[in-house]
């Protein structure tokens, strides 16, 4: 659906759901080119990308190896059906993903986005228990302030109010753990000290509904889109222990944290906690072509492989699952990460990034700063009666000064490409400091 409306010159929205306009080429909010760490706007300005696009361009923009792989694959095999047939590029990518995944993760199910990865993982979880003769396990547990995409399953287990309230009752049989954002953890550097016992609320939910009704718990190891909420020390370990105790699958939503953002290939490795499934997308193809994947343990995979070969194991899949061009893009992306040592680079830059980010403590209206890997958040005191306005004003001013940041509520979130230099960190944080100093 398209609606002919004027494109605002003042960047008054994060995204526009309707995109028909005759004057779009002249609008300063339009990006017309990108290279490495910068976007080029329609009016010719260079904007430093402080958000890796939308948490996804981990290797920067328009990287030659990725571009060449897409061009070559498009000329060789443009599409192959994912049902009953296959092609070698998808299997090669799956092998490479497993090579860098946590030990114990052994299988890949392709999707086309993070939202589809979440839907797929939730369906696999319910079907897994049914395949094992525990069909009563249909309940799904999410977390307050969690973000798991924009499809019905993801919104249902998600816990961001504005993502939920417009769309009715959503899925039934869903409950939520409390979020981990505690005032006593303000200005933490890395994992906060307080809050591990919040995981124990899962025991309350189990007592309320019965473990025999619960299929899975899904959490982001580090919650990104809600404003960079970090897991307290010991929290994820505790959650893993409780889910194992009650036979509940644990799903890590690694759509943001996957592929180097925390200095490891996946957050599961960073925290040394192995879930039963992991949802991925974004950095899998450097944001260039839509693609996602659900990664599972052998136990989850093998539960479906019990029948005759002529029967369908799981009645689920997508037209574009494992698309050849997307798979070639994924391989080239993983090669770029490896050849340039970008996961190591993120880990090496973490301390410098942390120091730069926390230098903003004491700036006007700043009430908290959080960081981990190459992710950071600056939380602002909201304007009474006008929630989100102060952070959005910062977003506009930052864009005018040549840096791209992201805001959610009154929180400024940053997740630059892993190729960022120390000088560019200085530019990003220094410009943000100027912006914060100018806010009313």
């Amino acid at each position: 659906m398209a609606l002919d409306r004027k494109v605002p010159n003042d960047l008054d929205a994060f995204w526009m759901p309707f995109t028909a306009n005759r004057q779009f080429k002249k609008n300063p909010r339009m990006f017309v080119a990108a290279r490495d760490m910068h976007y080029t706007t329609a009016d010719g300005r260079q904007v430093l990308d402080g958000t890796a696009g939308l948490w996804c361009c981990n290797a920067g923009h328009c990287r030659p190896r990725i571009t060449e792989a897409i061009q070559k694959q498009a000329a060789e095999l443009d599409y192959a059906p994912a049902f009953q047939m296959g092609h070698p590029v998808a299997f090669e990518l799956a092998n490479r993903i497993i090579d860098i995944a946590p030990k114990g993760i052994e299988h890949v199910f392709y999707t086309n986005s993070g939202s589809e990865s979440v839907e797929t993982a939730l369906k696999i979880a319910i079907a897994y228990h049914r395949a094992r003769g525990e069909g009563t396990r249909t309940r799904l547990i999410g977390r307050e302030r969690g973000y798991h995409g924009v499809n019905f399953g993801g919104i249902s287990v998600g816990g961001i109010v504005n993502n939920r309230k417009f769309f009715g009752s959503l899925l039934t049989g869903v409950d939520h753990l409390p979020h981990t954002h505690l005032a006593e953890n303000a200005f933490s550097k890395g994992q906060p000290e307080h809050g591990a016992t919040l995981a124990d609320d899962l025991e309350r939910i189990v007592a309320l509904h019965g473990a025999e009704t619960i299929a899975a718990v899904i959490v982001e190891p580090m919650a990104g889109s809600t404003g960079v909420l970090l897991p307290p020390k010991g929290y994820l370990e505790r959650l893993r222990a409780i889910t194992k105790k009650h036979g509940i699958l644990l799903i890590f939503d690694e759509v943001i944290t996957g592929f180097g953002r925390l200095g490891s290939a996946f957050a599961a490795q960073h925290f040394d906690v192995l879930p039963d499934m992991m949802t991925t997308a974004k950095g899998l193809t450097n944001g260039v072509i839509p693609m996602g994947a659900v990664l599972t343990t052998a136990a989850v995979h093998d539960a479906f492989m019990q029948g005759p070969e002529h029967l369908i194991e799981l009645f689920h899949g997508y037209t574009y699952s494992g698309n050849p061009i997307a798979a070639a893009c994924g391989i080239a992306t993983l090669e770029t990460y490896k050849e340039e040592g970008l996961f190591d680079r993120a880990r090496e830059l973490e301390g410098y990034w942390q120091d730069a980010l926390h230098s903003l403590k004491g700036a006007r209206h700043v009430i908290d700063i959080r960081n981990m890997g190459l992710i950071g958040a600056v939380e602002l005191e909201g304007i009474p009666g006008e929630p989100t306005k102060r952070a959005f004003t910062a977003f506009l001013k930052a864009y005018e000064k040549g840096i791209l940041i992201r805001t959610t509520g009154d929180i400024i979130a940053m997740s630059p490409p892993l190729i960022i230099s120390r000088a560019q960190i200085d530019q990003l944080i220094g410009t943000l400091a100027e912006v914060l100093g100018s806010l009313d």
Side-chain angles (χ1 to χ4, degrees), residues 31-46:
F31 290 139
V32 298
R35 176 70 63 182
D36 297 332
M37 280 295 302
H38 291 85
Y39 283 107
T40 302
T41 67
D43 55 354
R45 296 189 306 118
Q46 293 290 292

Side-chain angles (χ1 to χ4, degrees), residues 343-424:
F343 298 172
D344 292 336
R345 180 179 178 80
R347 191 161 53 250
E348 291 163 1
L349 283 173
E350 181 175 14
Y352 193 88
W353 169 255
Q354 175 176 279
D355 291 345
L357 195 66
H358 282 269
S359 72
L360 298 173
K361 184 177 181 179
R364 297 185 71 185
H365 309 299
V366 173
I367 61 174
D368 191 13
I369 295 172
R370 304 182 285 278
N371 70 282
M372 183 172 287
L374 280 186
I375 297 180
V378 178
E379 186 163 355
L380 305 180
E381 182 180 19
I383 299 173
E386 297 183 287
T388 79
K389 184 176 181 179
R390 180 166 281 144
F392 189 63
T393 299
F395 167 77
L396 297 176
K397 288 177 176 285
Y399 185 77
E400 292 168 0
K401 288 179 174 290
I403 62 169
L404 182 66
I405 59 175
R406 178 164 172 74
T407 62
T408 173
D410 275 299
I411 299 167
I412 295 168
M414 291 170 287
S415 57
L418 309 183
I419 63 171
I420 193 170
S421 67
R422 284 173 167 78
Q424 288 165 337

Side-chain angles (χ1 to χ4, degrees), residues 180-181 188-192 221-223 228-232 370-372:
T180 62
H181 189 35
S188 292
K189 295 181 178 180
Q191 275 191 277
M222 184 226 67
V228 185
L229 307 187
L230 308 177
R370 304 182 285 278
N371 70 282
M372 183 172 287

Side-chain angles (χ1 to χ4, degrees), residues 9-297:
N9 286 322
D10 60 356
L11 294 165
D12 67 351
F14 290 105
W15 67 290
M16 294 182 299
F18 307 110
T19 53
N21 186 277
R22 302 297 181 187
Q23 305 300 318
F24 68 92
K25 290 184 179 179
K26 300 179 181 179
N27 196 278
R29 82 176 296 176
M30 294 291 164
F31 290 139
V32 298
R35 176 70 63 182
D36 297 332
M37 280 295 302
H38 291 85
Y39 283 107
T40 302
T41 67
D43 55 354
R45 296 189 306 118
Q46 293 290 292
V47 176
L48 182 68
D49 184 2
T51 60
L54 199 60
W55 312 90
C56 53
C57 302
N58 291 356
H61 297 277
C62 293
R63 302 307 309 276
R65 176 181 285 276
I66 298 172
T67 301
E68 292 167 7
I70 293 168
Q71 293 170 334
K72 180 181 178 182
Q73 186 61 49
E76 183 175 296
L77 176 65
D78 56 349
Y79 177 82
F83 301 155
Q84 287 82 47
M85 305 299 291
H87 62 89
V89 189
F91 283 90
E92 177 62 24
L93 175 59
N95 288 334
R96 298 204 186 191
I97 293 170
I98 296 306
D99 284 345
I100 64 171
K103 186 177 180 180
I105 297 292
E106 298 183 17
H107 296 278
V108 175
F109 190 109
Y110 288 118
T111 68
N112 305 288
S113 68
S115 293
E116 286 188 2
S117 291
V118 168
E119 301 298 301
T120 297
L122 297 179
K123 290 177 71 175
I124 288 175
I126 293 171
Y128 163 82
H129 290 294
R130 186 179 181 88
R132 297 175 63 252
E134 296 187 70
T136 59
R137 288 186 180 265
T138 59
R139 188 172 294 277
L140 302 167
I141 311 299
R143 186 167 59 185
E144 296 169 357
R145 293 190 67 166
Y147 179 74
H148 302 292
V150 294
N151 292 344
F152 271 100
I155 295 174
S156 299
V157 295
I160 298 178
V161 174
N162 284 337
N163 287 359
R164 295 167 53 87
K165 68 181 182 181
F166 294 103
F167 305 108
S169 58
L170 305 176
L171 297 185
T172 59
V174 174
D175 210 331
H176 290 80
L177 294 163
H179 64 72
T180 62
H181 189 35
L182 303 177
E184 56 262 44
N185 288 327
F187 297 100
S188 292
K189 295 181 178 180
Q191 275 191 277
E193 295 290 337
H194 308 287
T197 55
L198 290 168
D200 294 344
D201 198 63
L202 181 57
E203 291 283 16
R204 178 192 62 81
I205 293 174
V206 168
L208 176 64
H209 299 295
E212 71 279 3
T213 71
I214 301 174
V217 172
I218 182 170
V219 296
E220 300 158 276
M222 184 226 67
S225 294
T226 192
V228 185
L229 307 187
L230 308 177
K233 292 178 180 178
Y235 172 86
L236 294 174
E237 294 88 338
R238 211 158 179 152
L239 201 58
R240 174 70 282 190
I242 297 170
T243 52
K244 277 193 173 182
K245 172 184 173 183
H246 294 290
I248 299 167
L249 295 181
L250 178 62
I251 305 168
F252 275 2
D253 185 338
E254 295 231 27
V255 171
I256 285 176
T257 54
F259 304 102
R261 182 53 54 187
L262 300 184
S264 299
F266 298 97
Q269 294 153 320
H270 181 86
F271 296 114
D272 194 23
V273 176
L274 181 68
D276 301 289
M277 284 187 276
M278 297 159 57
T279 64
T280 69
K282 292 188 184 292
L284 173 57
T285 57
N286 201 44
V288 179
I289 290 181
M291 190 180 209
V294 177
L295 316 183
T296 80
T297 62

